[in-house]
Amino acid sequence: MTKYLSPLFGFLLAVCTQTHAQAKDRLPWFLGFGAPDYMEVWVETADVVDIRERVFQRAGAGIASVRAPADNKGTPAGWPENPGSGAGRDITGADLPRLIYVRWQSLAEPQTYEAYILIPELAREIMRKPEKAFCRLDGKWITDYRDDVGVGLAPGGIVKVWLGGSCLKSVEIARVEGSVVKQGPYQGKNEGRYALPLSPESKAYIEKFGIPFGSW
């Protein structure tokens, strides 16, 4: 549901914004979340401010997309060359994003972080621009948009953001270092308990190899 001028964003909404709207014939853009191999994440909330200054609270929440191959065969250090958009949903009713706030639990550590991601105008220009792309799946050329916003969440509070499309290579648009939420998970409302335990595969990897801080 859309709400206006949430106190969470009050100090940031005063920043001047671009007024160029999304093309009227465009479908909603997608917001998704992922994490490096084994570095499991639970998104408490992701709130969006669009370029019309509307606030979409809980535009995203839940488990981020992550791989946890058996026998420690994953590669958690660094990011994939062409990361996908992750687990999420379409942001129906929103214009192009200006700001994304995300608060998440890094289950691998464990630790709770929050970050404000300012989306540059250059990124919105990319989202507006159609491109011809070859889809290997069906062997056809199509006109596609980079309207998938993929947010990568890594231990240490590191955030990276990419724009992608179903048949287009992802383009990095932002990197942010989040801050620790001192109240802990769920802003202190869950007696310090995290949303989920680590999967056996992730727990085994981290116990053996640790967390590759500094690689993201």
Side-chain angles (χ1 to χ4, degrees):
M1 182 173 68
T2 305
K3 295 187 179 181
Y4 292 81
L5 297 180
S6 163
L8 181 63
F9 295 100
F11 74 98
L12 285 167
L13 294 182
V15 179
C16 293
T17 61
Q18 299 291 332
T19 58
H20 301 296
Q22 187 178 26
K24 291 182 179 179
D25 61 345
R26 291 297 305 128
L27 295 173
W29 53 276
F30 180 87
L31 176 63
F33 297 90
D37 290 0
Y38 306 110
M39 304 294 125
E40 296 175 12
V41 161
W42 177 266
V43 178
E44 291 187 359
T45 188
D47 305 336
V48 170
V49 179
D50 74 5
I51 58 173
R52 300 180 189 274
E53 300 296 5
R54 296 174 297 180
V55 178
F56 294 78
Q57 294 183 324
R58 289 188 65 80
I63 299 173
S65 176
V66 63
R67 295 174 64 253
D71 301 321
N72 299 323
K73 292 183 178 179
T75 308
W79 299 103
E81 182 179 349
N82 187 33
S85 53
R89 62 186 180 185
D90 290 336
I91 310 303
T92 304
D95 211 313
L96 295 177
R98 183 179 75 79
L99 182 147
I100 298 170
Y101 167 82
V102 58
R103 187 175 69 247
W104 75 100
Q105 299 174 16
S106 174
L107 303 175
E109 300 177 69
Q111 186 63 272
T112 305
Y113 298 98
E114 65 180 355
Y116 294 87
I117 308 163
L118 287 170
I119 306 299
E121 175 58 19
L122 177 60
R124 289 187 289 274
E125 291 176 2
I126 293 172
M127 294 179 76
R128 296 186 191 102
K129 181 182 176 182
E131 293 187 37
K132 289 202 170 185
F134 181 75
C135 287
R136 295 182 179 179
L137 188 62
D138 56 13
K140 295 180 180 179
W141 283 90
I142 66 167
T143 299
D144 199 5
Y145 287 82
R146 284 191 173 89
D147 52 9
D148 291 347
V149 179
V151 180
L153 303 171
I158 303 301
V159 182
K160 268 204 175 181
V161 186
W162 296 268
L163 292 177
S166 57
C167 298
L168 292 168
K169 186 175 181 180
S170 297
V171 175
E172 182 182 330
I173 60 166
R175 183 183 185 276
V176 175
E177 293 188 20
S179 58
V180 172
V181 177
K182 294 181 180 179
Q183 300 96 320
Y186 299 109
Q187 297 180 305
K189 298 175 183 178
N190 199 35
E191 299 179 348
R193 295 190 300 268
Y194 286 80
L196 297 168
L198 281 173
S199 68
E201 293 82 3
S202 294
K203 188 172 185 293
Y205 183 94
I206 293 168
E207 286 180 348
K208 184 172 182 179
F209 297 104
I211 297 174
F213 289 106
S215 68
W216 300 295

